[in-house]
Amino acid sequence: MKAVILAGGSGTRLWPLSREKKPKQFHALLSDKTLLQDTYARLSFLPREKIFVATTENYKDEIKKQLQQLIEKNLLLEPSLRDTGPCMGLIALRLAADDPEEPVAMIFADQFIKNADEFAKKMRAAEEVVKKDDVIAIVEVKASYPNPNLG
């Protein structure tokens, strides 16, 4: 399985801390690491050549600074901002060119996931379902209240 960390968002819901030049994924809010670094670390159950980051040209340098262990070719730049769905589609097409049968997980850079071991277990289970049944699997958390925001 490949994992793509989606790190192109502008983080407008966390204003004034989160700004266009440094959105929330680049801030340390819950630990001594930034949200982006925490997300990358959570994917340590995968080989590093299977971990990608999708972002915009604006954040390329900050991501390289924060994730020095990221393989250069695994930094995927969106040609223009077109929101999450088109980004996921473009990334899926790019990664399918290498191996159309390999599952790809899309992971948001700014999510808080407390139990990394449970996360890895759920991702592996989703990978098996995708491979076995040739379907799209969604790993989600039951909402505790209605909220129309993605973040």
Side-chain angles (χ1 to χ4, degrees):
M1 168 175 47
K2 294 176 182 169
V4 179
I5 300 171
L6 302 171
S10 59
T12 56
R13 285 183 295 274
L14 200 58
W15 183 89
L17 174 67
S18 182
R19 302 291 181 104
E20 186 177 338
K21 299 259 189 237
K22 194 168 183 184
K24 63 185 171 197
Q25 62 266 30
F26 303 128
H27 290 276
L29 302 175
L30 304 167
S31 73
D32 59 336
K33 295 185 212 165
T34 66
L35 295 175
L36 174 66
Q37 291 167 329
D38 278 339
T39 302
Y40 190 92
R42 192 176 314 117
L43 293 168
S44 65
F45 66 94
L46 295 172
R48 72 183 203 128
E49 58 271 4
K50 301 272 187 174
I51 303 173
F52 298 79
V53 176
T55 193
T56 66
E57 184 71 36
N58 295 342
Y59 303 142
K60 174 179 75 171
D61 292 335
E62 184 66 25
I63 288 172
K64 286 181 178 181
K65 185 172 113 182
Q66 289 196 16
L67 297 179
Q68 294 177 9
Q69 67 274 48
L70 181 69
I71 297 170
E72 178 82 22
K73 71 177 182 64
N74 289 11
L75 182 59
L76 308 172
L77 299 178
E78 298 174 56
S80 62
L81 292 174
R82 293 291 181 256
D83 224 349
T84 307
C87 170
M88 288 178 168
L90 176 64
I91 297 305
L93 285 172
R94 285 183 183 172
L95 296 181
D98 291 334
D99 183 353
E101 299 300 315
E102 186 169 21
V104 176
M106 302 286 182
I107 312 291
F108 293 101
D110 60 357
Q111 291 181 324
F112 172 66
I113 296 175
K114 193 173 185 177
N115 187 331
D117 291 335
E118 185 68 15
F119 172 78
K121 191 165 101 177
K122 300 278 191 210
M123 294 305 295
R124 288 292 188 205
E127 177 184 23
E128 290 308 312
V129 168
V130 168
K131 286 179 175 178
K132 179 177 156 276
D133 298 334
D134 195 27
V135 295
I136 294 174
I138 299 174
V139 178
E140 60 186 342
V141 175
K142 185 177 179 180
S144 54
Y145 59 92
N147 188 328
N149 295 313
L150 178 59

